[in-house]
């Protein structure tokens, strides 16, 4: 998928409709009707490169999805629902599918997850790494230590940290400017700030995180400026879990020493 903002909107719309499960002919037919307002099979065929004989099949597919209405005239005329309504329809469909998936996967999970994760595991892509960080934040019971660049400290993450603080979790943050620190302390009054070990912004490092002294994550921005957040090349992280996990042991020692240095009392 192209990330070029100047890409032809017709091509973008067709591609996204196909990603939502429409056939190529149905996607082209819907886009044609969206630009026409209303039209007959001939009208659609002339602007969509869909053979006239296949327009009717495409209309049936779209009508079953609630995306077009049909005027029973001679010849039949077709009308596409608005862009806003179409988008809302797909959002509801995605939410429903996501709920079904979550329910099914939850039923498949073991009753108890392993307390120890041997070795170091990897996750690629800024979006995927952020989801793992949010999962860690939500699971925290005692303490979160989080060091990151400001661009990765999104409102969503700050909101998650705020909710953790309200649960009584201690929040320790590093790597952000004085201005951002002020904002964070307004949002999370109990959060404490500590100095990072190096000039964080001058490195390709993305995040260092430790939760409850037994979950850790380290990431690097690989091609962050050249890749979208969902691109696996944008960020790569390694993580480990368990009191004896090698990554946990190393980062726990580093963070414990650093926090003790910042707070000698």
């Amino acid at each position: 998928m192209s990330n070029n903002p100047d890409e032809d909107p017709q091509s973008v719309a067709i591609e996204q409709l196909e990603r939502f499960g429409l056939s190529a002919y149905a996607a082209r037919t819907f886009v044609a009707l969206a630009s026409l307002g209303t039209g007959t099979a001939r009208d659609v065929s002339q602007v969509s490169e869909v053979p006239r004989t296949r327009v009717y099949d495409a209309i049936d597919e779209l009508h079953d999805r609630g995306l077009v209405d049909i005027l029973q005239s001679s010849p039949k005329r077709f009308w596409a629902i608005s862009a806003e309504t179409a988008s809302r329809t797909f959002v509801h469909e995605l939410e429903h599918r996501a709920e079904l998936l979550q329910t099914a996967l939850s039923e498949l999970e073991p009753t108890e997850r392993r307390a120890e994760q041997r070795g170091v595991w990897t996750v690629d892509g800024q979006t995927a790494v952020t989801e793992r960080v949010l999962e860690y934040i939500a699971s925290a019971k005692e303490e979160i230590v989080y060091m990151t660049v400001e661009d990765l400290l999104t409102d969503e993450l700050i909101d998650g940290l705020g909710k953790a603080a309200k649960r009584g979790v201690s929040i320790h943050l590093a790597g952000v400017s004085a201005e951002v620190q002020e904002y964070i302390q307004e949002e999370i009054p109990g959060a404490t700030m500590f100095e990072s070990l190096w000039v964080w912004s001058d490195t390709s490092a993305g995040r260092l995180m430790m939760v409850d002294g037994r979950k850790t994550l380290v990431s690097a921005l690989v091609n962050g400026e050249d890749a979208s957040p969902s691109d696996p090349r944008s960020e790569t992280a390694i993580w480990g879990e368990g009191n004896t996990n090698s990554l946990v042991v190393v980062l726990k020692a580093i963070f414990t020493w650093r926090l003790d240095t910042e707070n000698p009392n």
Side-chain angles (χ1 to χ4, degrees), residues 66-246:
L67 298 174
V68 299
D69 291 342
I70 302 173
L71 177 63
Q72 299 297 333
S73 58
S74 183
K76 291 181 178 179
R77 298 189 67 82
F78 313 113
W79 173 83
I81 63 176
S82 69
E84 181 180 355
T85 303
S87 297
R88 190 163 54 244
T89 297
F90 286 120
V91 167
H92 291 162
E93 181 179 315
L94 277 178
E95 289 176 346
H96 177 64
R97 288 166 57 187
E99 289 174 1
L100 290 177
L101 176 61
Q102 181 178 357
T103 300
L105 291 178
S106 296
E107 293 176 355
L108 293 172
E109 286 184 344
T111 304
E112 294 184 4
R113 284 184 174 271
R114 291 185 54 171
E116 295 287 333
Q117 294 284 355
R118 293 186 177 181
V120 174
W121 303 70
T122 63
V123 56
D124 294 321
Q126 186 176 315
T127 299
V129 174
T130 298
E131 287 299 321
R132 186 58 50 81
V133 169
L134 287 169
E135 179 184 324
Y136 272 19
I137 292 173
S139 70
K141 296 180 180 179
E142 298 176 2
E143 181 183 58
I144 295 173
V145 184
Y146 191 42
M147 186 184 300
T148 186
V149 292
E150 290 180 11
D151 289 346
L152 296 179
L153 193 58
T154 62
D155 289 340
E156 185 179 22
L157 287 170
I158 292 175
D159 180 62
L161 290 168
K163 290 178 179 177
K166 290 179 180 178
R167 298 196 306 268
V169 177
S170 299
I171 309 295
H172 306 278
L173 298 173
V176 295
S177 66
E179 292 80 6
V180 176
Q181 286 184 24
E182 290 180 7
Y183 171 71
I184 292 172
Q185 289 180 324
E186 289 178 2
E187 297 295 314
I188 316 171
T192 60
M193 306 292 166
F194 65 98
E195 295 296 325
S196 60
L197 297 173
W198 56 85
V199 181
W200 188 256
S201 60
D202 291 342
T203 73
S204 61
R207 330 180 198 220
L208 283 178
M209 184 179 197
M210 182 175 69
V211 173
D212 294 339
R214 64 180 313 277
K215 294 180 180 179
T216 53
L217 179 143
V218 182
S219 80
L221 302 176
V222 186
N223 291 306
E225 295 182 357
D226 302 321
S228 67
S230 60
D231 191 321
R233 298 172 301 165
S234 59
E235 185 176 6
T236 295
I238 57 175
W239 63 273
E241 184 172 345
N243 293 325
T244 61
N245 182 278
S246 56

